[in-house]
Amino acid sequence: MRLRALLDTDALGLRLLGGEDELDRTVRGVMTTDLKDPSRYLSGGELVLTGLAWRHDAEDSEPFVRILSTAGVAGLAAGEAELGDIPDDLIVACARHRLPLFAVNESVAFATITEHVVRQVSGERAGDLAAVVDRHRRMMTSGPAGGGPDVVLDLLGTDLDLRAWVLSPAGRPIAGSKLAGGALPADTCARLAAEHLAAARTGRRGPHRVTVGPATYSLFPIRSSGRAAGASRDVRETVLCDWLLAVEADAGDWPEERLDLLQGVTQLIAVERDRRDAARTVRRRLAQEVLELVQTGAAPAEIAARLRVAAPVLLPGLGAAPHWQVVVARVEWDGGEIEGGPVAQALLEEILVDPLSPGSEHSDRIAVAHTGDEAVALVPLPAVPAGEDGPEPGLHADTLLAAVRDPLSAGLNDDGRLTLGVSAAVHSAEGLRGALEEARHARRVAAARPGRVCAAGHQELASHVLLLPFVPDDVRRAFTARLLDPLREYDGRHRAELIPTLEAFLDCDGSWTRCAARLHLHVNTLRYRVGRIEQLTSRDLSRLEDKLDFFLALRMS
């Protein structure tokens, strides 16, 4: 807005005292101050409001006005409540520095002027941003992407002072404005993603408002036009795949114009999402070709040749991949009328990324194929430089599960399941068939567990954990009841804590001293409890077979 417009509003009670030739200056904001030197808080273009508490004598006006002029403020408005008439020395100083000066009637609160200026400036900025977004949309729909979601979010920050982030359905930060000051905490991202997915499953229209700690966020769905075309499609076909825009603001009292603007922003980001999906076509085709070769028993040399073609595409700039991993995912919905493979494919492309790594370029280093309700990801692992120590490279089922379980469970609601299996890294094409079978077997282990989102890794296939999920329920109940029910009944009557004692004794490998120390018991008390366990169950805890039976019973209970 222009300074001149302030004089046209009688409710502001402004009277011009000097600077008539400068009234076409643009006002970009407003600040109230009574500091002698407010320069650190000025960025240029402000209307400065002051009650003149900084002025003790006539010599103070010149340095104060010089500071404002140097900072590039639009104008100065001085209140008459403190001193009555505005001092001549201030009028002279403003005239010398060509700074427009207004007198504010004592009946008008500075808050009234501030509210008016902010409302006018925000409205104009929203219009400017809408024009920029529209130009950007036309540019992106007619040519290559113009910088991705970050550019659009920076516009929201600079023009509307809105902190905003784009998040994946699992809560991974994909983009954020510079004003946002970095990525949101991981737990906040997961909470926002979960709230968004839960709201989407209920069919509620966005934006959805969520309060996390002291902050309120408004969540806008970013629906991919490529996958979501056709309003009749079931929400379950897209809910686990769509990004969301999280804005740190309460959109409940926003005018329709601003809501429309944010909807335009989501559409603009969706265009970029569609471009990235299209760019994955080659990787998906490579994954499908390799998967078909592996499943049909092709010669290792033929698979290796195909991998040599795939590696430069999947690992741009990093050369060949000496190791590969396979991840298998299955999405199943009650009723079975919705094919889960495409959903699992899009989901793996979003979640097979380090959750602490922002952006989406890392997900372009995987290739995912799908058949039926199952998706298979081929994950190339770059070489580890010789001599470097550290954790085993690649994906780990427990880490992957911890990153996605809470938000995706909200999207699956009470009628869907996601199960994941992760193979070990293999060193050659000869091992890829085994890795696929290993990942599928791990997924079946995960499917035997309770919960909406479950995962298992190759480490679990070499232990008793592999066997336990496949024990029939009636056998499981009979076995655990025979060993543990007598102990539970005794604990219930006497509060003897025999079950916790048994668990600690087995965890300590039968060591009396270590177990007694862990339970803060005298060794004689521990011996009494173990003796009671043996008496009630007719077992001998000095025998390996009986220890193993108790161990398995506790694991299955």
Side-chain angles (χ1 to χ4, degrees):
M1 67 177 298
R2 306 287 183 181
L3 278 176
R4 190 181 306 278
L6 297 173
L7 294 173
D8 296 334
T9 307
D10 295 337
L12 299 183
L14 295 179
R15 180 164 48 88
L16 183 64
L17 299 180
E20 186 174 358
D21 295 338
E22 303 292 332
L23 291 181
D24 286 328
R25 292 187 182 187
T26 299
V27 179
R28 296 187 176 88
V30 61
M31 190 193 78
T32 299
T33 184
D34 275 315
L35 296 174
K36 294 184 69 172
D37 182 2
S39 57
R40 74 185 71 179
Y41 305 111
L42 298 172
S43 58
E46 297 91 349
L47 173 67
V48 175
L49 306 176
T50 181
L52 300 177
W54 51 265
R55 182 186 178 279
H56 299 293
D57 55 50
E59 301 300 322
D60 293 334
S61 294
E62 169 62 26
F64 180 80
V65 174
R66 184 171 62 249
I67 289 170
L68 300 188
S69 179
T70 302
V73 304
L76 173 64
E80 296 179 325
E82 184 72 19
L83 302 178
D85 292 338
I86 305 302
D88 290 339
D89 48 89
L90 181 59
I91 297 174
V92 170
C94 287
R96 182 180 299 118
H97 291 279
R98 303 182 61 83
L99 182 66
L101 175 63
F102 301 88
V104 182
N105 189 279
E106 62 179 352
S107 64
V108 178
F110 282 175
T112 301
I113 301 174
T114 299
E115 181 181 353
H116 175 82
V117 173
V118 169
R119 185 166 56 248
Q120 294 298 316
V121 170
S122 297
E124 291 174 1
R125 284 182 178 173
D128 292 342
L129 179 58
V132 173
V133 168
D134 185 60
R135 290 196 302 272
H136 201 71
R137 181 187 294 112
R138 289 198 301 269
M139 178 181 68
M140 291 184 68
T141 54
S142 62
D150 296 276
V151 172
V152 184
L153 299 187
D154 285 342
L155 290 173
L156 286 177
T158 56
D159 286 61
L160 290 184
D161 198 31
L162 290 176
R163 289 158 47 91
W165 299 263
V166 175
L167 304 178
S168 78
R172 181 176 64 88
I174 293 169
S177 64
K178 294 184 177 67
L179 182 68
L184 288 168
D187 56 346
T188 300
C189 290
R191 168 76 183 283
L192 295 179
E195 295 284 352
H196 163 72
L197 291 175
R201 286 304 311 274
T202 64
R204 288 190 285 123
R205 295 184 58 189
H208 314 298
R209 287 174 288 164
V210 180
T211 299
V212 181
T216 297
Y217 300 87
S218 296
L219 310 179
F220 296 80
I222 300 173
R223 296 188 173 90
S224 172
S225 58
R227 288 192 309 273
S232 62
R233 294 188 64 178
D234 194 304
V235 67
R236 292 175 294 180
E237 296 183 68
T238 60
V239 67
L240 299 181
C241 312
D242 288 334
W243 291 351
L244 68 139
L245 174 66
V247 181
E248 190 178 354
D250 187 344
D253 56 354
W254 281 4
E256 288 296 326
E257 293 80 5
R258 178 167 287 203
L259 289 173
D260 290 344
L261 173 61
L262 266 293
Q263 294 294 346
V265 169
T266 64
Q267 293 168 12
L268 185 57
I269 297 173
V271 171
E272 177 65 13
R273 170 71 186 277
D274 289 342
R275 288 188 185 280
R276 294 182 181 184
D277 280 350
R280 289 173 175 162
T281 303
V282 174
R283 287 184 288 278
R284 289 175 173 177
R285 187 174 68 248
L286 288 172
Q288 197 72 44
E289 292 173 356
V290 173
L291 179 62
E292 290 174 0
L293 289 174
V294 171
Q295 292 186 132
T296 56
E302 186 178 358
I303 299 174
R306 177 57 58 189
L307 289 178
R308 282 194 296 271
V309 173
V313 177
L314 300 177
L315 288 173
L318 297 180
H323 303 105
W324 298 85
Q325 249 182 314
V326 174
V327 179
V328 173
R330 190 177 184 91
V331 174
E332 298 171 285
W333 302 101
D334 291 351
E337 69 276 6
I338 298 176
E339 186 180 7
V343 178
Q345 180 183 46
L347 189 58
L348 281 183
E349 290 172 338
E350 290 296 336
I351 68 177
L352 290 186
V353 185
D354 180 351
L356 300 180
S357 298
S360 60
E361 68 279 358
H362 300 281
S363 61
D364 292 340
R365 294 175 182 167
I366 62 170
V368 188
H370 77 83
T371 54
D373 289 330
E374 180 185 81
V376 179
L378 186 64
V379 183
L381 305 177
V384 177
E388 278 198 10
D389 295 326
E392 178 186 352
L395 298 161
H396 300 273
D398 53 352
T399 303
L400 189 62
L401 180 62
V404 305
R405 178 172 49 208
D406 291 344
L408 294 184
S409 294
L412 291 161
N413 200 3
D414 58 357
D415 60 349
R417 286 200 82 201
L418 166 66
T419 50
L420 300 160
V422 182
S423 79
V426 295
H427 299 240
S428 63
E430 287 85 349
L432 205 54
R433 182 180 181 87
L436 176 60
E437 291 304 317
E438 189 175 57
R440 281 176 168 161
H441 206 144
R443 193 208 63 78
R444 288 193 289 271
V445 170
R449 295 172 176 168
R452 289 291 164 190
V453 181
C454 299
H458 62 93
Q459 301 93 337
E460 301 177 56
L461 304 186
S463 75
H464 65 278
V465 177
L466 171 63
L467 303 176
L468 297 184
F470 300 101
V471 176
D473 287 343
D474 54 345
V475 176
R476 181 194 303 261
R477 286 192 294 268
F479 182 75
T480 57
R482 186 166 60 251
L483 283 173
L484 301 182
D485 278 2
L487 306 182
R488 293 192 181 104
E489 292 171 2
Y490 191 87
D491 281 348
R493 292 196 306 269
H494 303 284
R495 298 182 180 178
E497 297 188 355
L498 296 184
I499 293 288
T501 300
L502 176 62
E503 292 175 332
F505 187 72
L506 295 176
D507 285 345
C508 293
D509 299 322
S511 170
W512 296 98
T513 54
R514 283 195 289 128
C515 183
R518 175 183 292 190
L519 296 175
H520 305 289
L521 297 175
H522 191 277
V523 173
N524 289 341
T525 304
L526 176 61
R527 290 185 184 276
Y528 171 80
R529 289 188 183 180
V530 171
R532 179 62 68 184
I533 292 171
E534 293 174 332
Q535 180 185 14
L536 291 170
T537 59
S538 300
R539 297 297 184 109
D540 183 356
L541 278 168
S542 65
R543 298 178 65 247
L544 176 61
E545 293 86 348
D546 288 341
K547 286 181 182 177
L548 180 59
D549 283 348
F550 277 121
F551 175 80
L552 292 174
L554 289 169
R555 282 300 184 97
M556 288 191 293
S557 64

PDB file of all heavy atoms in Angstrom, residues 476-493:
ATOM      1  N   ARG A 476      -0.144 -73.226  20.568  1.00  0.00           N
ATOM      2  CA  ARG A 476       0.512 -72.172  21.350  1.00  0.00           C
ATOM      3  C   ARG A 476      -0.158 -72.037  22.719  1.00  0.00           C
ATOM      4  O   ARG A 476       0.517 -71.980  23.755  1.00  0.00           O
ATOM      5  CB  ARG A 476       0.421 -70.858  20.578  1.00  0.00           C
ATOM      6  CG  ARG A 476       1.094 -69.667  21.253  1.00  0.00           C
ATOM      7  CD  ARG A 476       0.643 -68.386  20.576  1.00  0.00           C
ATOM      8  NE  ARG A 476       0.932 -68.412  19.160  1.00  0.00           N
ATOM      9  CZ  ARG A 476       1.994 -67.818  18.604  1.00  0.00           C
ATOM     10  NH1 ARG A 476       2.838 -67.163  19.373  1.00  0.00           N
ATOM     11  NH2 ARG A 476       2.200 -67.882  17.307  1.00  0.00           N
ATOM     12  N   ARG A 477      -1.504 -71.994  22.728  1.00  0.00           N
ATOM     13  CA  ARG A 477      -2.226 -71.814  23.991  1.00  0.00           C
ATOM     14  C   ARG A 477      -2.020 -72.998  24.933  1.00  0.00           C
ATOM     15  O   ARG A 477      -1.805 -72.833  26.139  1.00  0.00           O
ATOM     16  CB  ARG A 477      -3.710 -71.598  23.716  1.00  0.00           C
ATOM     17  CG  ARG A 477      -4.040 -70.221  23.163  1.00  0.00           C
ATOM     18  CD  ARG A 477      -5.541 -69.974  23.178  1.00  0.00           C
ATOM     19  NE  ARG A 477      -6.221 -70.879  22.258  1.00  0.00           N
ATOM     20  CZ  ARG A 477      -6.490 -70.582  20.988  1.00  0.00           C
ATOM     21  NH1 ARG A 477      -6.116 -69.408  20.499  1.00  0.00           N
ATOM     22  NH2 ARG A 477      -7.115 -71.449  20.213  1.00  0.00           N
ATOM     23  N   ALA A 478      -2.061 -74.217  24.379  1.00  0.00           N
ATOM     24  CA  ALA A 478      -1.899 -75.406  25.227  1.00  0.00           C
ATOM     25  C   ALA A 478      -0.493 -75.478  25.821  1.00  0.00           C
ATOM     26  O   ALA A 478      -0.314 -75.806  27.007  1.00  0.00           O
ATOM     27  CB  ALA A 478      -2.192 -76.664  24.406  1.00  0.00           C
ATOM     28  N   PHE A 479       0.508 -75.168  25.009  1.00  0.00           N
ATOM     29  CA  PHE A 479       1.896 -75.245  25.468  1.00  0.00           C
ATOM     30  C   PHE A 479       2.171 -74.230  26.574  1.00  0.00           C
ATOM     31  O   PHE A 479       2.746 -74.559  27.624  1.00  0.00           O
ATOM     32  CB  PHE A 479       2.822 -75.024  24.274  1.00  0.00           C
ATOM     33  CG  PHE A 479       4.282 -75.124  24.607  1.00  0.00           C
ATOM     34  CD1 PHE A 479       4.880 -76.357  24.825  1.00  0.00           C
ATOM     35  CD2 PHE A 479       5.069 -73.976  24.689  1.00  0.00           C
ATOM     36  CE1 PHE A 479       6.232 -76.449  25.129  1.00  0.00           C
ATOM     37  CE2 PHE A 479       6.413 -74.060  24.992  1.00  0.00           C
ATOM     38  CZ  PHE A 479       7.005 -75.308  25.208  1.00  0.00           C
ATOM     39  N   THR A 480       1.767 -72.967  26.353  1.00  0.00           N
ATOM     40  CA  THR A 480       2.038 -71.933  27.352  1.00  0.00           C
ATOM     41  C   THR A 480       1.207 -72.155  28.617  1.00  0.00           C
ATOM     42  O   THR A 480       1.679 -71.907  29.730  1.00  0.00           O
ATOM     43  CB  THR A 480       1.739 -70.537  26.784  1.00  0.00           C
ATOM     44  OG1 THR A 480       0.383 -70.477  26.339  1.00  0.00           O
ATOM     45  CG2 THR A 480       2.657 -70.225  25.618  1.00  0.00           C
ATOM     46  N   ALA A 481      -0.031 -72.646  28.465  1.00  0.00           N
ATOM     47  CA  ALA A 481      -0.877 -72.866  29.640  1.00  0.00           C
ATOM     48  C   ALA A 481      -0.287 -73.955  30.538  1.00  0.00           C
ATOM     49  O   ALA A 481      -0.282 -73.834  31.769  1.00  0.00           O
ATOM     50  CB  ALA A 481      -2.291 -73.248  29.206  1.00  0.00           C
ATOM     51  N   ARG A 482       0.237 -75.016  29.896  1.00  0.00           N
ATOM     52  CA  ARG A 482       0.763 -76.115  30.691  1.00  0.00           C
ATOM     53  C   ARG A 482       1.960 -75.681  31.548  1.00  0.00           C
ATOM     54  O   ARG A 482       2.120 -76.129  32.689  1.00  0.00           O
ATOM     55  CB  ARG A 482       1.167 -77.268  29.765  1.00  0.00           C
ATOM     56  CG  ARG A 482       1.609 -78.527  30.513  1.00  0.00           C
ATOM     57  CD  ARG A 482       1.672 -79.723  29.582  1.00  0.00           C
ATOM     58  NE  ARG A 482       2.605 -79.537  28.476  1.00  0.00           N
ATOM     59  CZ  ARG A 482       2.245 -79.366  27.206  1.00  0.00           C
ATOM     60  NH1 ARG A 482       0.963 -79.356  26.884  1.00  0.00           N
ATOM     61  NH2 ARG A 482       3.141 -79.205  26.259  1.00  0.00           N
ATOM     62  N   LEU A 483       2.780 -74.782  31.020  1.00  0.00           N
ATOM     63  CA  LEU A 483       3.980 -74.358  31.738  1.00  0.00           C
ATOM     64  C   LEU A 483       3.760 -73.138  32.621  1.00  0.00           C
ATOM     65  O   LEU A 483       4.345 -73.033  33.700  1.00  0.00           O
ATOM     66  CB  LEU A 483       5.111 -74.073  30.745  1.00  0.00           C
ATOM     67  CG  LEU A 483       5.817 -75.287  30.148  1.00  0.00           C
ATOM     68  CD1 LEU A 483       6.784 -74.850  29.065  1.00  0.00           C
ATOM     69  CD2 LEU A 483       6.556 -76.068  31.215  1.00  0.00           C
ATOM     70  N   LEU A 484       2.969 -72.195  32.168  1.00  0.00           N
ATOM     71  CA  LEU A 484       2.905 -70.898  32.845  1.00  0.00           C
ATOM     72  C   LEU A 484       1.663 -70.702  33.707  1.00  0.00           C
ATOM     73  O   LEU A 484       1.695 -69.895  34.649  1.00  0.00           O
ATOM     74  CB  LEU A 484       2.991 -69.760  31.820  1.00  0.00           C
ATOM     75  CG  LEU A 484       4.261 -69.733  30.958  1.00  0.00           C
ATOM     76  CD1 LEU A 484       4.236 -68.521  30.029  1.00  0.00           C
ATOM     77  CD2 LEU A 484       5.516 -69.718  31.811  1.00  0.00           C
ATOM     78  N   ASP A 485       0.550 -71.360  33.388  1.00  0.00           N
ATOM     79  CA  ASP A 485      -0.662 -71.135  34.179  1.00  0.00           C
ATOM     80  C   ASP A 485      -0.478 -71.457  35.663  1.00  0.00           C
ATOM     81  O   ASP A 485      -0.977 -70.702  36.522  1.00  0.00           O
ATOM     82  CB  ASP A 485      -1.828 -71.939  33.602  1.00  0.00           C
ATOM     83  CG  ASP A 485      -2.485 -71.232  32.429  1.00  0.00           C
ATOM     84  OD1 ASP A 485      -1.997 -70.146  32.055  1.00  0.00           O
ATOM     85  OD2 ASP A 485      -3.475 -71.769  31.879  1.00  0.00           O
ATOM     86  N   PRO A 486       0.217 -72.549  36.041  1.00  0.00           N
ATOM     87  CA  PRO A 486       0.422 -72.782  37.474  1.00  0.00           C
ATOM     88  C   PRO A 486       1.170 -71.644  38.162  1.00  0.00           C
ATOM     89  O   PRO A 486       0.879 -71.299  39.317  1.00  0.00           O
ATOM     90  CB  PRO A 486       1.235 -74.082  37.511  1.00  0.00           C
ATOM     91  CG  PRO A 486       0.932 -74.759  36.222  1.00  0.00           C
ATOM     92  CD  PRO A 486       0.743 -73.659  35.229  1.00  0.00           C
ATOM     93  N   LEU A 487       2.115 -71.033  37.451  1.00  0.00           N
ATOM     94  CA  LEU A 487       2.880 -69.923  38.024  1.00  0.00           C
ATOM     95  C   LEU A 487       2.013 -68.673  38.139  1.00  0.00           C
ATOM     96  O   LEU A 487       2.092 -67.942  39.128  1.00  0.00           O
ATOM     97  CB  LEU A 487       4.120 -69.642  37.177  1.00  0.00           C
ATOM     98  CG  LEU A 487       5.050 -70.839  36.915  1.00  0.00           C
ATOM     99  CD1 LEU A 487       6.269 -70.386  36.109  1.00  0.00           C
ATOM    100  CD2 LEU A 487       5.484 -71.478  38.221  1.00  0.00           C
ATOM    101  N   ARG A 488       1.188 -68.424  37.118  1.00  0.00           N
ATOM    102  CA  ARG A 488       0.310 -67.249  37.165  1.00  0.00           C
ATOM    103  C   ARG A 488      -0.691 -67.376  38.314  1.00  0.00           C
ATOM    104  O   ARG A 488      -0.971 -66.396  39.016  1.00  0.00           O
ATOM    105  CB  ARG A 488      -0.422 -67.090  35.835  1.00  0.00           C
ATOM    106  CG  ARG A 488       0.466 -66.726  34.649  1.00  0.00           C
ATOM    107  CD  ARG A 488      -0.385 -66.300  33.467  1.00  0.00           C
ATOM    108  NE  ARG A 488       0.418 -65.972  32.295  1.00  0.00           N
ATOM    109  CZ  ARG A 488       0.558 -66.756  31.231  1.00  0.00           C
ATOM    110  NH1 ARG A 488      -0.075 -67.934  31.200  1.00  0.00           N
ATOM    111  NH2 ARG A 488       1.294 -66.392  30.221  1.00  0.00           N
ATOM    112  N   GLU A 489      -1.246 -68.556  38.480  1.00  0.00           N
ATOM    113  CA  GLU A 489      -2.225 -68.747  39.560  1.00  0.00           C
ATOM    114  C   GLU A 489      -1.565 -68.564  40.931  1.00  0.00           C
ATOM    115  O   GLU A 489      -2.141 -67.940  41.840  1.00  0.00           O
ATOM    116  CB  GLU A 489      -2.834 -70.144  39.447  1.00  0.00           C
ATOM    117  CG  GLU A 489      -3.716 -70.321  38.215  1.00  0.00           C
ATOM    118  CD  GLU A 489      -4.133 -71.775  38.023  1.00  0.00           C
ATOM    119  OE1 GLU A 489      -3.759 -72.608  38.891  1.00  0.00           O
ATOM    120  OE2 GLU A 489      -4.805 -72.070  37.020  1.00  0.00           O
ATOM    121  N   TYR A 490      -0.360 -69.070  41.078  1.00  0.00           N
ATOM    122  CA  TYR A 490       0.347 -68.923  42.357  1.00  0.00           C
ATOM    123  C   TYR A 490       0.682 -67.455  42.619  1.00  0.00           C
ATOM    124  O   TYR A 490       0.514 -66.948  43.742  1.00  0.00           O
ATOM    125  CB  TYR A 490       1.623 -69.764  42.340  1.00  0.00           C
ATOM    126  CG  TYR A 490       2.293 -69.887  43.696  1.00  0.00           C
ATOM    127  CD1 TYR A 490       1.929 -70.892  44.585  1.00  0.00           C
ATOM    128  CD2 TYR A 490       3.288 -68.988  44.087  1.00  0.00           C
ATOM    129  CE1 TYR A 490       2.539 -71.008  45.837  1.00  0.00           C
ATOM    130  CE2 TYR A 490       3.897 -69.086  45.324  1.00  0.00           C
ATOM    131  CZ  TYR A 490       3.519 -70.094  46.198  1.00  0.00           C
ATOM    132  OH  TYR A 490       4.112 -70.197  47.437  1.00  0.00           O
ATOM    133  N   ASP A 491       1.131 -66.744  41.585  1.00  0.00           N
ATOM    134  CA  ASP A 491       1.425 -65.309  41.726  1.00  0.00           C
ATOM    135  C   ASP A 491       0.165 -64.542  42.105  1.00  0.00           C
ATOM    136  O   ASP A 491       0.202 -63.598  42.902  1.00  0.00           O
ATOM    137  CB  ASP A 491       2.005 -64.748  40.428  1.00  0.00           C
ATOM    138  CG  ASP A 491       3.483 -65.076  40.258  1.00  0.00           C
ATOM    139  OD1 ASP A 491       4.096 -65.526  41.240  1.00  0.00           O
ATOM    140  OD2 ASP A 491       4.011 -64.873  39.142  1.00  0.00           O
ATOM    141  N   GLY A 492      -0.968 -64.937  41.522  1.00  0.00           N
ATOM    142  CA  GLY A 492      -2.208 -64.242  41.824  1.00  0.00           C
ATOM    143  C   GLY A 492      -2.636 -64.399  43.268  1.00  0.00           C
ATOM    144  O   GLY A 492      -3.212 -63.472  43.859  1.00  0.00           O
ATOM    145  N   ARG A 493      -2.346 -65.574  43.855  1.00  0.00           N
ATOM    146  CA  ARG A 493      -2.750 -65.812  45.241  1.00  0.00           C
ATOM    147  C   ARG A 493      -1.728 -65.266  46.250  1.00  0.00           C
ATOM    148  O   ARG A 493      -2.107 -64.755  47.297  1.00  0.00           O
ATOM    149  CB  ARG A 493      -2.924 -67.317  45.473  1.00  0.00           C
ATOM    150  CG  ARG A 493      -4.098 -67.938  44.730  1.00  0.00           C
ATOM    151  CD  ARG A 493      -4.432 -69.318  45.304  1.00  0.00           C
ATOM    152  NE  ARG A 493      -3.256 -70.186  45.334  1.00  0.00           N
ATOM    153  CZ  ARG A 493      -2.914 -71.015  44.342  1.00  0.00           C
ATOM    154  NH1 ARG A 493      -3.666 -71.056  43.234  1.00  0.00           N
ATOM    155  NH2 ARG A 493      -1.865 -71.797  44.445  1.00  0.00           N
TER     156      ARG A 493
END
